[in-house]
Amino acid sequence: MDNLTPSDLFSPSKARQQRAQAQDWAHIDSWLSYKYSGRTVPTFERNEETLKVLRELSMANERADEERNVLERVEREALKELDEVEKTEDDERILSQLKSSLTQEGEEALHAIASTAVILNTPSVDPETLAHALIQHTTTSQNLTNQLAHIQTLQTYLTKQISLLRTQLNELQTNSAFSTPPLLQRQTTEQTRQTKHLRTKIREYEDKLSSLQSSQNRSMTPGSRNIGSAEAIGEMLEQQKVLDELRERVVGLEAQVKEFAGLPADREMARKEVGKLEIRLDEVRRRRDELFEGLVG
């Protein structure tokens, strides 16, 4: 009932559900207190899944208790009927004659067989029946021993895991590194405000971008619409290559023109000047040859 919210007060179905859960928890608490017999009940998380599991466990436990009580009552009634069976004089006489006719070893064997039949709860004292019952009990005992060892190992592992989890839980609860920062709420509020502001800016910029794209599409010519296509880019690369070749040819021609620097602009006068320079070149060559011959002589 403590989990009722103000909205649940106006919802009859939720109120009934809460009352039913409260009654179930009261039954579970009473059952656990009875099972622990005055010891402290371990703390656990109270949610719907835990309540469901505990409810099923309590119902299974109650069914087992009822079955055990019925079995005990049947056994008591059977023992009572056996005690009420009247022993006749013939039975006493036959039993007395049987005991008197047996040797000490036979009496011990008869007692051993009867004790074995009673302990094994077999309706017959046939040796083969007793042997089968003994083998079955031995197999059951061995299986129960193996299961008990497995359960003990599992219990040891679970105990270690519970201890480790409790240590980690204590570390999480006591270590300041895992505690909530005092300014977390303020930071969350500030980040939420910034997020809303950025979303507004994003929508504003998206609207501006859409407007620019629309105006650009209206201002573009049919030829410029395909400027970013693969064919246009390939054509531009070819033109760039041709332009680079022309630039190299221009550089070569400029180098050749520089060799004729200083000549007159008129072609005839330039030819005369070139003729004079050739005559002078011949004289310089002859002079060079004469100097070379003089050096050799």
Side-chain angles (χ1 to χ4, degrees), residues 139-157:
T139 304
T140 304
S141 176
Q142 186 63 33
N143 291 334
L144 292 176
T145 302
N146 294 335
Q147 292 179 5
L148 181 61
H150 177 69
I151 291 173
Q152 289 176 350
T153 303
L154 182 61
Q155 182 181 5
T156 303
Y157 172 75

Side-chain angles (χ1 to χ4, degrees), residues 7 12 21 47 61 65 95 104 107 136 167-168 215 228 236 252 258 279:
S7 60
Q21 288 184 356
N47 51 36
N61 185 262
D65 291 340
L95 181 60
Q104 182 67 26
E107 186 176 356
Q136 183 179 0
T167 303
Q168 294 177 354
S215 61
M236 291 174 61
K258 286 181 180 180
I279 294 171

